[in-house]
Amino acid sequence: MSNTKKITSALISVFHKDGLAPIVRKLNEQGVKLYSTGGTQKFINDLGIDVIAVEDVTDYPSILGGRVKTLHPKVFGGILNRQDIESDVEEMKQFNIPQLDLVIVDLYPFEKTVASGAGEQDIIEKIDIGGISLIRAAAKNFKDTLCVSSMEDYNEFLEILSATNGNISLSDRKKFAAKAFNISSHYDTAIFNYFNSDHSIAALKISETNGKVLRYGENPHQRGFFFGDFNTMFDKLHGKELSYNNLLDVDAAVNLMSEFIGDAPTFAILKHNNACGIAQRDTVHQAYVDALAGDPVSAFGGILISNTEIDATTAEEIHKLFCEVVIAPSFSEKGEEILKGKKNRILLIQKEAALPETTVRTCLNGALVQDKDNITDSAENLTYATNTKPSANELEDLLFASKICKHTKSNTIVLAKGRQLCASGTGQTSRVDALRQAIEKANSFNFDLNGAVMASDAFFPFPDCVEIADKAGITAVIQPGGSIKDELSIDYCNEHEMAMVFTGTRHFKH
């Protein structure tokens, strides 16, 4: 079989017509016989180009409000016949089926219709039947039929068509078949996930058609990829390409700052997915300065994020620090200019975009899937477990610390005072070790822990943590509660006039 095949006939039936005209004109110029339906047929006619209506081939009109147009043996026979098999060729002649060398077809915008908030009937009508069938048929028979299944491929196809005068190589036909199956599998995944939105069927189907090859993975010897629409979430203003580790840190930063949307100016600095500094102040400049004070050592090479615009004054302070990424909802003109002073520093404007409601990670020979931890501890849901109640300032700090704790690797203890992170113990095998780590770190940066508060991601099975905290000067504690030995910690707090509140919600993060 020849490695190239001349296109002599084409079926064109598309929803999106942007960029189609040059292809139609080129096919016409090359003497290709065109077949089409409905709106696409009119589009081609309006270009002054002859086109044969599919219903003239099938002797059957479009029916059921356009639901059935191309589903006919004379169409699919023209696509699926194998031209190197004599019996197929004979049947084509017997039933007067036209050969179709090229199929240009796309799909109804199902995902966009769902995202628009449309009603169920509108969504159902956007489940393509004819289009998906044409794509699968043409891609399956790539040896004899070329399939162009997306307007994103129009330019590439036009270049090949022009360069080869319509003599398309087998390798190109196979490449376009792979693209087509990528389109069809993604489409079916979106439809399934719509119907299974309540997860009543325990099946995992994930499809991301936007992929990017990264410089490497977590380490230089590992390959790395990112699958997702980064540009929906961010406008990248400046800097080098984001690495695998940058993306993990950006994800951690965005999730942490989501707790402070609409609050007073809040600034966080993260390293290895954990906050090493965070503060909330009346100005973004002071919030940054106090966040940096939380751990100026770990901040080196960190990821910075603000919940409000970064102005010139703040940018001047940030510019003194070597940092990988700076994220904000906006930058002042002067602030942006200052931060662009380091050529590799990545500047991202965070846009409003929905984040996934589930988390997925590989596990053994499969995957673990869970709902995202969407509970933020609030004053309304607290249980006051001790005789001493937290003051208004302590309560504010407790909820501030709890938000940080939720986004810190377990086991963790977070210490805060005056809406500022003093220190945290992260990723420890013992909660006592996490507390001791946090106290030692806070002391090393000269924080006065007298009157500070402590947050824990899980309950205390013994009173040792509240005792250690008390001796360090900590006066209030927030934790989930729920241990069969809660009373031991409550008793210690009552004896030493400490305030402790229960949230009723554990926030493990592994």
Side-chain angles (χ1 to χ4, degrees):
M1 184 187 68
S2 172
N3 281 331
T4 63
K5 184 174 185 297
K6 175 74 171 175
I7 294 176
T8 62
S9 58
L11 169 62
I12 308 174
S13 181
V14 297
F15 185 88
H16 302 98
K17 299 171 181 65
D18 294 345
L20 182 64
I23 293 175
V24 173
R25 291 192 178 101
K26 179 58 69 173
L27 291 170
N28 183 60
E29 177 187 313
Q30 294 178 357
V32 175
K33 184 181 291 186
L34 303 180
Y35 299 86
S36 192
T37 63
T40 310
Q41 179 186 339
K42 182 180 183 303
F43 175 85
I44 296 172
N45 278 327
D46 289 346
L47 295 175
I49 294 172
D50 291 337
V51 58
I52 300 169
V54 166
E55 61 188 53
D56 290 342
V57 175
T58 63
D59 292 324
Y60 220 94
S62 172
I63 61 172
L64 306 180
R67 279 189 165 197
V68 180
K69 291 183 286 192
T70 56
L71 295 169
H72 195 280
K74 282 199 171 183
V75 174
F76 283 86
I79 294 170
L80 285 166
N81 73 92
R82 296 155 293 184
Q83 293 177 36
D84 58 345
I85 295 180
E86 187 176 344
S87 60
D88 281 14
V89 175
E90 288 300 318
E91 286 186 4
M92 292 280 286
K93 292 177 181 177
Q94 178 185 352
F95 296 107
N96 195 27
I97 299 173
Q99 172 64 36
L100 295 172
D101 303 315
L102 168 66
V103 172
I104 302 177
V105 62
D106 61 6
L107 301 171
Y108 293 154
F110 178 81
E111 288 179 281
K112 287 184 178 179
T113 305
V114 172
S116 73
E120 182 171 86
Q121 191 54 44
D122 289 336
I123 292 171
I124 298 301
E125 289 305 318
K126 288 299 185 288
I127 298 177
D128 207 313
I129 303 301
I132 201 80
S133 301
L134 291 169
I135 286 173
R136 290 178 62 84
K140 175 180 179 177
N141 201 33
F142 66 88
K143 289 182 179 180
D144 294 307
T145 306
L146 174 65
C147 182
V148 179
S149 54
S150 169
M151 62 185 296
E152 302 298 326
D153 297 324
Y154 285 178
N155 287 338
E156 181 183 0
F157 171 65
L158 182 59
E159 289 176 6
I160 294 172
L161 185 69
S162 300
T164 64
N165 195 32
N167 291 284
I168 312 299
S169 70
L170 179 61
S171 61
D172 279 334
R173 280 179 272 142
K174 192 170 185 178
K175 178 176 69 174
F176 275 90
K179 289 173 178 278
F181 284 120
N182 182 35
I183 292 286
S184 66
S185 62
H186 178 79
Y187 197 74
D188 284 339
T189 294
I191 294 169
F192 170 77
N193 287 334
Y194 169 75
F195 279 93
N196 195 44
S197 60
D198 61 354
H199 304 289
S200 58
I201 300 173
L204 174 63
K205 296 190 187 299
I206 299 173
S207 178
E208 288 290 350
T209 56
N210 292 302
K212 182 177 179 60
V213 179
L214 304 175
R215 283 175 288 163
Y216 51 81
E218 201 162 6
N219 299 292
H221 63 277
Q222 296 170 273
R223 292 191 302 164
F225 306 86
F226 173 71
F227 296 98
D229 191 354
F230 187 82
N231 294 331
T232 294
M233 289 200 64
F234 301 100
D235 286 329
K236 184 168 179 282
L237 302 179
H238 183 72
K240 63 182 181 180
E241 290 296 313
L242 281 95
S243 70
Y244 182 98
N245 292 326
N246 286 157
L247 289 165
L248 282 177
D249 281 329
V250 167
D251 177 71
V254 166
N255 279 287
L256 171 61
M257 197 54 70
S258 70
E259 305 285 350
F260 301 96
I261 294 173
D263 287 0
T266 307
F267 208 105
I269 304 171
L270 290 91
K271 197 73 173 288
H272 295 291
N273 309 156
N274 296 303
C276 58
I278 179 169
Q280 189 174 81
R281 295 292 182 261
D282 293 334
T283 67
V284 66
H285 172 259
Q286 196 59 50
Y288 168 70
V289 170
D290 290 349
L292 181 63
D295 186 346
V297 175
S298 295
F300 182 85
I303 305 294
L304 281 57
I305 186 166
S306 170
N307 71 342
T308 191
E309 180 173 279
I310 292 179
D311 56 24
T313 305
T314 310
E316 286 174 353
E317 288 293 330
I318 293 172
H319 194 56
K320 299 173 186 176
L321 175 73
F322 169 70
C323 56
E324 291 273 335
V325 184
V326 184
I327 309 165
S330 61
F331 297 83
S332 72
E333 186 176 347
K334 183 63 176 176
E336 180 181 332
E337 180 184 337
I338 293 167
L339 292 173
K340 284 181 175 177
K342 297 284 178 68
K343 69 175 183 177
N344 287 331
R345 180 186 286 142
I346 299 165
L347 302 184
L348 299 176
I349 290 181
Q350 184 180 351
K351 299 186 282 190
E352 289 187 18
L355 292 170
E357 290 299 315
T358 55
T359 63
V360 182
R361 65 195 298 179
T362 58
C363 181
L364 301 176
N365 61 348
L368 283 172
V369 181
Q370 66 173 349
D371 294 335
K372 189 176 180 180
D373 183 356
N374 282 326
I375 294 179
T376 297
D377 298 326
S378 63
E380 295 77 17
N381 298 321
L382 298 180
T383 299
Y384 295 85
T386 53
N387 296 331
T388 301
K389 303 299 185 286
S391 68
N393 287 339
E394 285 175 331
L395 183 59
E396 185 177 50
D397 282 345
L398 287 169
L399 294 174
F400 178 82
S402 176
K403 291 177 180 179
I404 302 167
C405 193
K406 172 183 168 181
H407 295 277
T408 305
K409 296 290 185 182
S410 298
N411 286 315
T412 184
I413 293 288
V414 169
L415 307 180
K417 183 178 180 180
R419 294 178 300 158
Q420 179 184 23
L421 173 64
C422 300
S424 59
T426 63
Q428 299 301 301
T429 53
S430 159
R431 199 159 302 282
V432 171
D433 286 347
L435 174 55
R436 286 177 173 153
Q437 181 190 60
I439 292 171
E440 180 182 351
K441 189 174 181 181
N443 289 334
S444 73
F445 291 116
N446 300 314
F447 279 100
D448 179 6
L449 293 179
N450 288 299
V453 305
M454 172 173 74
S456 174
D457 59 343
F459 61 61
F460 299 123
F462 304 104
D464 45 7
C465 281
V466 291
E467 180 178 354
I468 294 168
D470 173 43
K471 290 177 179 178
I474 290 160
T475 56
V477 179
I478 187 169
Q479 57 129 324
S483 169
I484 58 173
K485 297 183 178 180
D486 275 344
E487 287 301 323
L488 296 178
S489 295
I490 293 171
D491 288 346
Y492 181 92
C493 288
N494 283 334
E495 290 169 10
H496 296 82
E497 298 183 340
M498 293 179 72
M500 183 162 64
V501 297
F502 291 166
T503 66
T505 303
R506 189 179 72 185
H507 291 294
F508 271 164
K509 187 172 188 289
H510 295 111

